[in-house]
């Protein structure tokens, strides 16, 4: 006995929709787009984002993700133990820090603080850029990256 063509078509359509939804939830980077700066209204600790002579620019970027679980979560950003701002999907912030060792950290309302000992230098052989990402388990991470 064969199935009715309408039943087969509906089952195929449902399977295709399910595969599409699962693919949208996969933890993979989104297509490359320029990073947007964090609006000044979301800087909660002034001083770190103001360019001053003798300070070095440190760029912290929140990598874009298609993952719906993490896409709309705030990534709180700390410098030397003080919360400075939060980053949304595809945003970045530039801190101006004195040369030397600083602690840059990130967290979410669900994750513990992840801290990175960050050596700030004006030496162009080294990068002053950090990347905020989420892993396959939706846990936040922070690492120094190349220019």
């Amino acid at each position: 006995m064969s199935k009715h063509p309408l039943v087969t078509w509906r089952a195929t359509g449902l399977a295709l929709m399910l595969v599409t939804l699962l693919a949208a939830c996969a933890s993979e980077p989104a297509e490359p787009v320029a990073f947007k700066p964090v609006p000044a209204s979301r800087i909660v600790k002034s001083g770190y984002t103001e360019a001053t002579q003798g300070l070095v620019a440190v760029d912290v970027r929140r990598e874009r993700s298609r993952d719906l679980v993490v896409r709309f979560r705030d990534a709180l950003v700390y410098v030397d133990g003080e919360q400075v701002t939060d980053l949304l999907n595809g945003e970045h912030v530039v801190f101006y820090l004195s040369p030397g060792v600083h602690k840059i950290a990130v967290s979410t309302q669900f994750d513990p603080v992840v801290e990175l000992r960050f050596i700030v230098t004006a030496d162009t052989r080294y990068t002053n850029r950090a990347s905020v990402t989420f892993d396959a388990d939706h846990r936040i991470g922070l690492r120094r990256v190349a220019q």
Side-chain angles (χ1 to χ4, degrees):
M1 183 192 295
S2 68
K3 292 185 179 180
H4 190 276
L6 185 58
V7 172
T8 304
W9 181 83
R10 282 187 179 168
T12 303
L14 183 60
L16 183 60
M17 186 171 64
L18 182 60
V19 168
T20 303
L21 285 173
L22 289 175
C25 292
S27 185
E28 61 184 63
E31 52 282 339
V33 175
F35 288 92
K36 297 179 295 186
V38 171
S41 61
R42 291 208 336 260
I43 304 294
V44 294
K45 181 71 175 171
S46 62
Y48 289 105
T49 57
E50 299 163 8
T52 306
Q53 187 173 354
L55 299 183
V56 178
V58 176
D59 190 3
V60 178
R61 298 171 169 214
R62 163 91 183 264
E63 300 300 330
R64 294 185 71 228
S65 173
R66 292 182 189 178
D67 190 328
L68 293 176
V69 173
V70 298
R71 190 175 191 169
F72 299 104
R73 289 170 63 186
D74 290 0
L76 306 175
V77 182
Y78 304 84
V79 175
D80 296 329
E82 297 186 74
Q83 183 183 350
V84 179
T85 191
D86 65 318
L87 292 174
L88 298 178
N89 201 33
E91 289 185 331
H92 81 113
V93 63
V94 177
F95 298 124
Y96 294 92
L97 305 174
S98 61
V101 178
H102 292 272
K103 293 178 184 174
I104 297 177
V106 293
S107 183
T108 69
Q109 69 186 74
F110 306 106
D111 296 307
V113 174
V114 175
E115 190 173 86
L116 177 65
R117 184 176 176 267
F118 200 93
I119 300 171
V120 176
T121 179
D123 188 337
T124 56
R125 293 179 297 168
Y126 300 97
T127 178
N128 287 314
R129 183 176 291 166
S131 177
V132 179
T133 58
F134 288 84
D135 66 17
D137 293 327
H138 306 124
R139 295 291 177 206
I140 196 166
L142 177 66
R143 63 188 173 92
R144 187 177 208 131
V145 294
Q147 300 286 3

